[in-house]
């Protein structure tokens, strides 16, 4: 599949995304009640969402970045998660919030949650994804928080790419 800018249809515009981030951040602010959080942003896709979301969070917060890949240049998951770069500080006894762009098969989310539980005794672990593609799930995992539920569409924009393009679009779109 090839995706051209002029073929893209907007699924969620800037205003809808902004409002959704306000809703999500209000829930997170209520949950953590001023306790320190270590946010873990899964690169590259979640970088725009994470940077907008954390600016609405009011607790003391540190951010870490990890890099995983499961798609390569295709529009379907390879079914295998590659840990490209996972260097994390000591997360023992910390409130950890994983920030993802989208949960699709769920393999990446499961990999990350298992990885953190295997390596640390965290105080709490929550998973927040902007998008949730429930229909394509292959493993049993649900984000604790998500912005929008979408059906089986390949989406781009607002951090999400097609072969490394379109991450800079301020909206989320599909072909
Ligand atoms: P999963 O491991 O849940 O199958 O996939 C998670 C990763 O696949 C996401 O973090 C994202 O990078 C990529 N992905 C899944 N669905 C889409 C999509 O519709 N568009 C784009 N651009 N990436 C997607």
């Amino acid at each position: 599949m090839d995706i051209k800018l002029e073929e893209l249809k907007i699924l969620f515009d800037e205003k809808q995304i902004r409002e959704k981030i306000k809703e999500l951040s209000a829930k997170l602010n209520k949950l953590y009640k001023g306790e320190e959080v270590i946010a873990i942003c899964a690169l590259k896709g979640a970088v725009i969402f994470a940077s907008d979301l954390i600016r609405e969070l009011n607790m003391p917060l540190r951010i870490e970045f990890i890099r995983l890949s499961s798609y390569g240049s295709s529009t379907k998951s390879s079914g295998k998660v590659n840990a490209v770069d996972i260097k994390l500080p000591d997360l023992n006894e910390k409130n950890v919030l994983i920030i993802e762009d989208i949960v699709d098969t769920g393999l990446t989310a499961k990999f990350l949650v298992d990885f953190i539980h295997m390596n640390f005794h965290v105080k709490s672990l929550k998973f927040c994804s902007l998008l949730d593609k429930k229909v394509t799930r292959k493993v049993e995992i649900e984000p604790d928080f998500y912005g929008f539920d979408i059906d089986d569409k390949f989406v781009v924009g607002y951090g999400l790419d097609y072969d490394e393009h379109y991450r800079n679009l301020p909206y989320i779109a599909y072909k």
Side-chain angles (χ1 to χ4, degrees):
M1 177 163 78
D2 192 23
I3 301 181
K4 296 200 174 63
L5 185 61
E6 58 275 15
E7 297 169 337
L8 291 176
K9 296 183 258 316
I10 295 183
L11 187 58
F12 303 114
D13 64 19
E14 290 180 69
K15 185 165 174 280
Q16 286 170 296
I17 297 172
R18 214 167 30 243
E19 281 167 4
K20 192 55 82 176
I21 287 177
K22 293 261 182 219
E23 264 174 47
L24 285 172
S25 56
K27 287 183 193 165
L28 292 166
N29 285 332
K30 198 165 158 207
L31 171 76
Y32 291 113
K33 296 191 192 77
E35 280 192 31
E36 189 185 52
V37 168
I38 316 277
I40 299 181
C41 167
L43 294 172
K44 298 176 190 172
V47 71
I48 313 277
F49 173 48
S51 56
D52 281 346
L53 182 71
I54 64 169
R55 282 179 289 172
E56 297 293 331
L57 298 180
N58 60 18
M59 71 292 286
L61 181 140
R62 285 159 49 184
I63 185 154
E64 299 293 333
F65 297 91
I66 57 171
R67 191 154 162 221
L68 303 167
S69 98
S70 62
Y71 264 55
S73 59
S74 154
T75 59
K76 287 268 171 252
S77 168
S78 65
K80 202 172 120 257
V81 180
N82 295 315
V84 181
D85 182 14
I86 304 197
K87 281 189 212 85
L88 288 169
D90 181 2
L91 300 177
N92 288 312
E93 305 311 320
K94 304 289 186 200
N95 293 307
V96 176
L97 174 67
I98 300 172
I99 304 177
E100 251 291 23
D101 50 359
I102 183 165
V103 183
D104 175 21
T105 61
L107 288 165
T108 307
K110 187 164 184 335
F111 174 90
L112 270 174
V113 167
D114 289 350
F115 179 86
I116 289 175
H117 281 313
M118 268 185 310
N119 287 282
F120 306 100
H121 289 283
V122 292
K123 180 168 181 189
S124 69
L125 178 60
K126 298 287 178 197
F127 197 101
C128 178
S129 178
L130 179 62
L131 302 172
D132 188 2
K133 236 193 246 180
K134 292 188 193 304
V135 284
T136 48
R137 200 74 93 249
K138 289 199 177 127
V139 288
E140 237 177 79
I141 190 150
E142 294 303 325
D144 299 291
F145 300 92
Y146 68 89
F148 304 100
D149 197 354
I150 65 168
D151 45 58
D152 190 8
K153 287 184 171 68
F154 184 78
V155 292
V156 296
Y158 198 71
L160 290 137
D161 74 311
Y162 168 63
D163 206 8
E164 293 303 325
H165 290 89
Y166 305 129
R167 292 193 199 275
N168 57 323
L169 297 177
Y171 48 82
I172 292 169
Y174 66 100
K175 185 173 162 180

